[in-house]
Amino acid sequence: MKGDVNMEQDLRLDTGYLEGFVSENDLGSIFPEVKKAHALLTDRTGPGNDFLGWMDLPESTTADMLGDIEECADRMKRNSDIVIIIGIGGSYLGAKAAIEMMAPRLGEKKVLFAGHNLCGGYLEEFLKMVKSRDRDISVNVISKSGTTTEPAIAFRVVEDFMRKRYGAAGLKDRIVCTTDKKRGALRSMADAMGYRSFVIPEDVGGRFSVLTAAGLLPVACADINIRGIIAGARRARERSASCDPDGNISYKYAAVRNILYRKGKNIEIFSNFDHGFHYVAEWWKQLFGESEGKGEKGIFPASCDFTTDLHSMGQWIQAGSRNIFETFLIEDREDSDCPIPGKEEDPDGLNYLSGKQVSFVNKQAYQATAAAHFEGGVPNSTIFLPERSAFCLGQLFYFLEKAVAVSAYVLGVNPFDQPGVDSYKKKMFEFLGKPGH
Amino acid sequence: MKGDVNMEQDLRLDTGYLEGFVSENDLGSIFPEVKKAHALLTDRTGPGNDFLGWMDLPESTTADMLGDIEECADRMKRNSDIVIIIGIGGSYLGAKAAIEMMAPRLGEKKVLFAGHNLCGGYLEEFLKMVKSRDRDISVNVISKSGTTTEPAIAFRVVEDFMRKRYGAAGLKDRIVCTTDKKRGALRSMADAMGYRSFVIPEDVGGRFSVLTAAGLLPVACADINIRGIIAGARRARERSASCDPDGNISYKYAAVRNILYRKGKNIEIFSNFDHGFHYVAEWWKQLFGESEGKGEKGIFPASCDFTTDLHSMGQWIQAGSRNIFETFLIEDREDSDCPIPGKEEDPDGLNYLSGKQVSFVNKQAYQATAAAHFEGGVPNSTIFLPERSAFCLGQLFYFLEKAVAVSAYVLGVNPFDQPGVDSYKKKMFEFLGKPGH
């Protein structure tokens, strides 16, 4: 089981490279707004207050619920070589982020994703791969409604394939639905077919659902310690409970980004130095973009994978338009991973690094980048994960959820709706000739 | 061999969704500037004119040169199960973009990349995978200087491993260097060790090097038709030779983006509807970001993979700050890939799509998205690839290279330098204690 719980390991927010961009005065001025946003959340009186279920998940998720999820994951792993997760948006990104961060990234994977796009070629190849390997599969399909086009199509295709392989009777052992408690097409299908099911609570929006079964079951299938994740979220919940301007790093982050936004920094780049963190940034983009991007407002959420992208976006960030700020996500611990071999001669001039770990060089690259970008006019902060553990990941999820809720209220928008996401769908259903459109 | 050459298949730029944002008048007003930029390129009198080698590559790359590359690729494929490409930035993104677009994306890959990051964990796992499979490997290391930290470290690590496996004498058959003709550490190593080598011409910058051996050898190793790519580039070169405001789509694209930038649209989102195009956008980001992001100017280059990202960035794009415009990259041809099965009952309401291909639904999603974003206040254009072929890909590369050169001149910056990329490196070398820093 990956990711033990070490309660000493608290997330840290370093704001050292904001000097000259965000003053104590700025922070003092915005504090009353943060306090007001805090009250809207705590009193549950703000816009979108019927979607505050995520706030209590760290406490309301019982050991029994976690036990059910673990038991189900164990069964899926036991009777399958591959577990297929079908979902998109909030029913995809949290689990994907957790798995890519915590579990190895190259080579064959046990948990695979489908239904997160409409690439026919992807689905075709996906099925071909599953068939050619002749491996047993299970499926967890995740959708609040059951009618979201991408996962609905993928589920039809995969269920059809499984019916042929396992027979109608065999499906019950291999299909698990995560959906609404009472409503929707997927709930009806699960009930009619007798598929096992888990619930996404009605008052938890998709982008805030990673700590429900929507995130936890796939993550458990990838052998990640979900109790550690919930324990971490509980820790972050405690730490962000009071409106303390210094100790509450969720609020500090929310305050800083609003201050920068008001000073014309309208793009935030969420940057990592570890390819395993790529999908954390994708999850973050949905969380922040969908919560804040409305009413012709909002910081544009972008991301970079360094050092890869220092060799593509580095020039722009260092010296392009000065309308950006940066938030780094960094694992604080140095790994012993891959030592740099010495050479008798020194043809590439690297002998000064002989015996050093590659991750040591990477850490220096991060420190140099944060300093250089700051000097180039890019204010930046760093979220430090003390280590790559389920406990730290759980903290990170909750820390960012709490931050975006307060940040959006300070911005003056409802953090919990998404009035724009249906615009293209309506048109698409017209083009497709969907009955009733 | 993937990607035959069909000379009928010309790239198309659709600017239908610019109405109300870019007028005929705007285009007329900017045309003299485009004309001036065209003259700077054609007369080779503009800033950075010692880096114009890319302009002639479609003509100067002879059949003999292509034959050498193909022969070398064949040999590498014959004596290895895995070909490892070591490179970063311009020595990575072009080949990666071409391979991910043209070759299948799931399952085991024959061509793998390393040296494009400093993740010790990645390199460690990479080696473990190579070792555990006990497969034969060849390496193509690509670096103009040979001292860029990431590929230099990866090459040291991989060469060390290969020396142990194949012996010093065996290296010569398995290592190919792509580097400067005369200078640099990698050139010296290649000469000293007798490694086979290919040349990146001195007057071709990294981000413009995809049509040199830096891009073509890895691409040939992935069984992609490099003659098709060069033929496509030649076609795009012809089409962008004269300063015709309508027929020259490179210039049209350059004009449109500068007009939009001057009207406050400071973010461009390069969006696709096919996961295979993801790395084309990454290549585009370097090409445009590094060419234009200087002097505190430049459009911020971002990208989206739809429909995946419609469920994360969709809300922001539809209704957030109105400082964005979008450029879609779309394959025009509809594939027969994955038909949607019918169901006796219709529990998910998808029976109206029974028998339709997933790619048909995807095409409607694109059309709906372009229309909805336009109505939401996001001007957008579409680059149509008639089909996923080497010929179209070659056109795309050259079309965008020509566009960015003109676009940057119109913006008033040198398209061919990158004065900011060394800032973090200097600091990093200090932190690392590199001799002389």
Side-chain angles (χ1 to χ4, degrees):
Chain A
M1 191 74 78
K2 278 163 209 93
D4 291 332
V5 177
N6 179 346
M7 304 286 286
E8 304 290 296
Q9 303 290 342
D10 271 350
L11 218 67
R12 215 154 51 74
L13 180 71
D14 185 322
T15 56
Y17 285 129
L18 298 176
E19 212 188 311
F21 296 99
V22 175
S23 66
E24 284 305 314
N25 210 16
D26 293 328
L27 285 165
S29 302
I30 210 167
F31 186 64
E33 297 179 57
V34 172
K35 217 169 158 178
K36 211 172 130 193
H38 171 74
L40 290 178
L41 276 179
T42 311
D43 308 343
R44 301 179 186 240
T45 50
N49 59 359
D50 41 350
F51 281 97
L52 292 177
W54 61 272
M55 285 179 69
D56 305 316
L57 289 172
E59 296 299 333
S60 63
T61 306
T62 63
D64 277 358
M65 290 161 75
L66 293 172
D68 277 353
I69 291 172
E70 286 167 343
E71 179 267 312
C72 179
D74 282 342
R75 203 171 136 201
M76 291 172 84
K77 287 184 281 180
R78 253 200 327 273
N79 73 4
S80 322
D81 305 295
I82 298 173
V83 176
I84 300 174
I85 310 297
I86 296 179
I88 197 165
S91 300
Y92 157 64
L93 288 164
K96 179 79 173 167
I99 293 171
E100 293 286 323
M101 176 177 147
M102 295 293 296
R105 284 144 285 164
L106 295 168
E108 203 168 299
K109 288 170 187 185
K110 185 163 179 90
V111 177
L112 296 175
F113 290 85
H116 59 295
N117 62 42
L118 281 173
C119 301
Y122 181 93
L123 201 53
E124 184 188 27
E125 223 195 300
F126 186 89
L127 278 183
K128 210 184 290 174
M129 189 183 62
V130 170
K131 286 178 196 172
S132 76
R133 293 195 193 163
D134 197 29
R135 305 267 164 92
D136 277 318
I137 57 175
S138 288
V139 169
N140 176 208
V141 53
I142 309 166
S143 175
K144 246 182 157 175
S145 67
T147 48
T148 304
T149 309
E150 293 87 341
I153 288 177
F155 185 50
R156 244 195 199 213
V157 169
V158 172
E159 196 191 33
D160 185 64
F161 163 70
M162 290 173 81
R163 183 172 284 116
K164 285 170 190 153
R165 180 185 274 189
Y166 297 111
L171 294 182
K172 268 208 319 204
D173 292 330
R174 299 189 170 273
I175 292 179
V176 178
C177 303
T178 304
T179 186
D180 189 83
K181 194 172 182 179
K182 293 180 188 162
R183 281 178 295 198
L186 189 56
R187 167 55 55 201
S188 308
M189 278 191 273
D191 291 348
M193 299 291 294
Y195 296 151
R196 183 162 184 178
S197 69
F198 289 90
V199 168
I200 308 174
E202 223 181 359
D203 59 353
V204 177
R207 61 185 174 274
F208 289 87
S209 71
V210 64
L211 300 175
T212 72
L216 297 178
L217 179 57
V219 160
C221 288
D223 291 327
I224 297 164
N225 179 352
I226 59 173
R227 287 171 200 258
I229 291 180
I230 293 294
R234 204 174 300 135
R235 175 70 185 137
R237 186 169 182 267
E238 283 164 27
R239 289 183 73 202
S240 67
S242 73
C243 197
D244 164 9
D246 289 317
N248 189 329
I249 58 174
S250 284
Y251 292 5
K252 184 83 176 270
Y253 178 44
V256 161
R257 53 201 309 283
N258 273 284
I259 291 165
L260 290 168
Y261 182 55
R262 289 173 193 181
K263 293 185 178 187
K265 308 293 183 191
N266 56 29
I267 301 170
E268 178 175 5
I269 307 176
F270 199 77
S271 297
N272 68 72
F273 276 74
D274 187 311
H275 277 213
F277 292 173
H278 174 85
Y279 282 95
V280 175
E282 294 303 309
W283 174 83
W284 169 90
K285 277 185 198 170
Q286 183 191 14
L287 185 67
F288 280 75
E290 209 163 276
S291 300
E292 295 192 325
K294 48 197 76 161
E296 308 204 346
K297 291 186 191 181
I299 298 166
F300 183 83
S303 64
C304 278
D305 297 325
F306 294 146
T307 61
T308 305
D309 293 346
L310 285 171
H311 297 255
S312 60
M313 291 295 295
Q315 166 65 35
W316 206 106
I317 296 170
Q318 190 67 43
S321 305
R322 301 296 75 184
N323 58 336
I324 55 174
F325 68 100
E326 212 168 3
T327 303
F328 294 98
L329 177 64
I330 298 293
E331 183 188 356
D332 215 4
R333 208 169 61 100
E334 250 172 58
D335 279 322
S336 274
D337 39 38
C338 188
I340 298 166
K343 262 190 159 178
E344 212 160 305
E345 316 232 327
D346 192 14
D348 50 7
L350 281 184
N351 270 355
Y352 76 106
L353 295 176
S354 300
K356 295 271 202 303
Q357 303 291 330
V358 173
S359 61
F360 165 79
V361 182
N362 202 24
K363 185 60 61 68
Q364 312 312 309
Y366 150 67
Q367 279 164 355
T369 301
H373 288 179
F374 172 68
E375 285 174 19
V378 181
N380 63 76
S381 315
T382 298
I383 302 163
F384 281 109
L385 291 178
E387 59 182 9
R388 189 186 303 248
S389 66
F391 183 68
C392 289
L393 179 59
Q395 288 185 68
L396 181 67
F397 282 142
Y398 197 89
F399 156 73
L400 289 170
E401 288 176 351
K402 193 75 183 276
V404 80
V406 164
S407 186
Y409 277 145
V410 169
L411 179 67
V413 300
N414 177 350
F416 306 114
D417 67 354
Q418 48 283 329
V421 297
D422 281 339
S423 309
Y424 89 92
K425 290 184 194 171
K426 277 183 203 147
K427 278 189 195 297
M428 182 176 74
F429 292 143
E430 271 173 49
F431 294 162
L432 288 171
K434 184 174 182 173
H437 282 80
Chain B
M1 190 74 79
K2 281 164 208 92
D4 290 334
V5 177
N6 178 347
M7 303 286 285
E8 304 289 296
Q9 303 290 342
D10 271 349
L11 219 67
R12 215 154 49 76
L13 180 70
D14 185 323
T15 56
Y17 284 129
L18 297 176
E19 213 189 311
F21 296 97
V22 175
S23 67
E24 283 305 314
N25 209 16
D26 293 328
L27 286 165
S29 300
I30 210 167
F31 186 63
E33 298 178 57
V34 172
K35 217 169 159 180
K36 212 173 128 192
H38 171 75
L40 290 178
L41 276 179
T42 312
D43 307 344
R44 300 179 187 240
T45 50
N49 59 358
D50 41 351
F51 282 96
L52 292 177
W54 61 272
M55 284 180 69
D56 306 316
L57 289 172
E59 296 298 333
S60 63
T61 306
T62 63
D64 277 358
M65 290 161 76
L66 293 172
D68 277 353
I69 291 172
E70 285 167 343
E71 179 267 313
C72 180
D74 282 342
R75 204 172 135 202
M76 292 173 84
K77 287 184 280 180
R78 253 199 328 271
N79 73 4
S80 322
D81 305 294
I82 297 173
V83 176
I84 300 173
I85 310 298
I86 296 178
I88 197 166
S91 299
Y92 157 64
L93 287 165
K96 178 80 173 166
I99 292 171
E100 294 286 324
M101 176 177 147
M102 294 293 296
R105 283 146 285 165
L106 295 168
E108 203 167 298
K109 289 170 186 185
K110 187 163 177 89
V111 178
L112 296 174
F113 290 85
H116 59 296
N117 62 43
L118 281 173
C119 302
Y122 180 94
L123 202 52
E124 185 188 25
E125 223 195 300
F126 185 89
L127 278 182
K128 210 183 290 174
M129 188 183 64
V130 169
K131 286 178 194 172
S132 75
R133 293 196 193 161
D134 196 31
R135 306 266 164 93
D136 276 318
I137 57 175
S138 288
V139 169
N140 176 208
V141 53
I142 309 164
S143 175
K144 246 183 157 175
S145 67
T147 48
T148 304
T149 309
E150 293 87 341
I153 287 178
F155 184 50
R156 244 197 200 214
V157 169
V158 172
E159 196 192 33
D160 185 63
F161 163 70
M162 290 173 79
R163 184 173 284 115
K164 286 170 191 153
R165 179 184 275 191
Y166 298 111
L171 295 182
K172 268 206 321 202
D173 292 331
R174 300 189 170 272
I175 292 179
V176 179
C177 303
T178 305
T179 187
D180 189 82
K181 193 172 182 180
K182 294 179 187 161
R183 280 178 296 199
L186 189 56
R187 167 55 55 202
S188 308
M189 280 192 272
D191 291 348
M193 299 291 294
Y195 297 150
R196 183 162 185 178
S197 68
F198 288 90
V199 169
I200 308 174
E202 223 181 357
D203 59 354
V204 178
R207 62 185 174 274
F208 289 87
S209 71
V210 63
L211 299 175
T212 71
L216 297 178
L217 179 56
V219 159
C221 288
D223 291 327
I224 297 163
N225 179 353
I226 59 175
R227 287 170 201 259
I229 291 180
I230 293 294
R234 203 174 301 133
R235 174 69 185 137
R237 186 169 183 267
E238 282 164 28
R239 288 184 72 201
S240 67
S242 74
C243 196
D244 164 10
D246 290 316
N248 189 330
I249 57 173
S250 285
Y251 292 5
K252 184 85 177 267
Y253 178 45
V256 161
R257 52 200 309 283
N258 273 284
I259 291 166
L260 290 169
Y261 182 56
R262 290 173 192 181
K263 293 184 177 186
K265 308 293 183 193
N266 55 30
I267 301 170
E268 177 174 5
I269 307 176
F270 199 77
S271 298
N272 68 72
F273 276 75
D274 188 310
H275 276 212
F277 292 174
H278 174 85
Y279 282 94
V280 175
E282 294 303 310
W283 175 82
W284 169 88
K285 277 185 198 170
Q286 182 191 14
L287 185 66
F288 280 75
E290 208 163 278
S291 300
E292 295 192 326
K294 48 197 77 162
E296 310 205 344
K297 292 186 192 181
I299 298 166
F300 183 83
S303 65
C304 278
D305 297 324
F306 294 146
T307 61
T308 304
D309 293 345
L310 285 172
H311 297 255
S312 61
M313 291 294 296
Q315 166 65 36
W316 205 106
I317 296 169
Q318 191 67 43
S321 305
R322 301 296 75 185
N323 59 337
I324 55 175
F325 67 100
E326 213 168 4
T327 304
F328 294 99
L329 177 64
I330 299 292
E331 184 188 354
D332 215 3
R333 209 169 61 99
E334 251 172 58
D335 278 321
S336 274
D337 38 38
C338 187
I340 298 166
K343 264 192 159 178
E344 214 161 302
E345 316 232 327
D346 193 14
D348 50 7
L350 280 184
N351 269 356
Y352 76 105
L353 295 175
S354 301
K356 295 271 201 304
Q357 304 290 329
V358 174
S359 61
F360 165 79
V361 182
N362 202 24
K363 186 59 62 68
Q364 312 313 309
Y366 150 67
Q367 279 164 353
T369 301
H373 288 180
F374 172 69
E375 286 175 18
V378 181
N380 63 75
S381 315
T382 299
I383 302 163
F384 281 109
L385 291 178
E387 59 183 8
R388 188 186 304 249
S389 67
F391 182 67
C392 289
L393 178 60
Q395 287 184 68
L396 181 67
F397 282 141
Y398 197 90
F399 156 72
L400 289 169
E401 288 176 351
K402 193 74 183 277
V404 81
V406 164
S407 185
Y409 277 144
V410 169
L411 178 67
V413 300
N414 177 351
F416 307 114
D417 67 355
Q418 49 283 330
V421 298
D422 282 339
S423 308
Y424 89 92
K425 290 184 193 171
K426 276 183 203 147
K427 277 188 196 298
M428 182 175 74
F429 293 143
E430 272 174 49
F431 294 163
L432 288 171
K434 185 173 181 173
H437 283 80

